[in-house]
Amino acid sequence: MRIGHGYDVHRLAEQRKLILGGVEIPYCLGLLGHSDADVLTHALMDALLGAAALGDIGRVFPDSDPAYEGISSMVLLDRVMKMLWTRNLRVSSADMTILAQRPRLAGHISLMCFELARHMEIPEDRVNVKATTEEGLGFTGRGEGIAAHAVVLLEEA
Ligand code: MG
């Protein structure tokens, strides 16, 4: 077994889509970033790369590269999964937490799990996404940004 942890933050901004776990969520603000700024999928990819000792997404997909401008993070996740599969690594489980004061995410969690499980090619009952507020404290509490943590277990196939 190999364990990996990922953490990411993106700033909320106007005239951006809010995409979390590959799911577009209706909201007046979206996350700012070079790609689609899907903070949840970024944390997950960092956990996957970390467990495989392959560095981090900044190293694998440099944001100085115009090829990644506006790209769907699910396309990047597919590339990370190919890197794992070629090393005979499979995802055993993934657990994630989104830190966001707004919007309410409860109604979107099951679709995020479905999408992430589909791209990792594992059963949905091995993927868990949670969302919490930070009680109005800090940058997530003030609604300035959204953060996400991810923990994964990999096993050799
Ligand atoms: Mg990021």
Side-chain angles (χ1 to χ4, degrees):
M1 285 286 194
R2 290 160 164 258
I3 192 165
H5 168 259
Y7 174 71
D8 196 25
V9 174
H10 281 266
R11 184 183 294 275
L12 281 162
E14 290 181 352
Q15 300 189 339
R16 291 279 299 182
K17 286 181 180 172
L18 178 58
I19 297 169
L20 294 170
V23 178
E24 187 175 338
I25 293 159
Y27 189 48
C28 55
L29 302 173
L31 293 171
L32 194 60
H34 187 65
S35 65
D36 66 359
D38 181 340
V39 68
L40 178 61
T41 303
H42 289 188
L44 175 62
M45 287 191 283
D46 263 352
L48 294 167
L49 291 169
L54 291 170
D56 60 47
I57 56 170
R59 196 166 99 190
V60 176
F61 309 115
D63 65 7
S64 55
D65 188 336
Y68 302 122
E69 192 174 342
I71 196 169
S72 165
S73 295
M74 301 309 269
V75 171
L76 303 181
L77 176 59
D78 290 343
R79 293 187 195 169
V80 168
M81 291 312 303
K82 286 203 179 84
M83 292 170 70
L84 300 189
W85 292 331
T86 59
R87 289 163 176 80
N88 286 322
L89 293 168
R90 298 284 181 278
V91 179
S92 177
S93 68
D95 183 28
M96 291 154 271
T97 304
I98 304 166
L99 310 177
Q101 195 68 31
R102 285 176 298 275
R104 291 274 304 161
L105 296 173
H108 305 282
I109 295 286
S110 61
L111 188 53
M112 293 179 206
C113 289
F114 174 83
E115 282 300 319
L116 294 171
R118 186 168 70 84
H119 284 261
M120 290 188 284
E121 297 192 7
I122 60 173
E124 250 181 282
D125 65 3
R126 289 177 171 265
V127 179
N128 193 66
V129 175
K130 308 178 291 300
T132 183
T133 72
E134 290 197 290
E135 301 287 339
L137 297 169
F139 68 87
T140 68
R142 290 188 296 270
E144 294 167 6
I146 294 178
H149 291 270
V151 175
V152 302
L153 274 184
L154 300 184
E155 53 193 346
E156 290 187 19

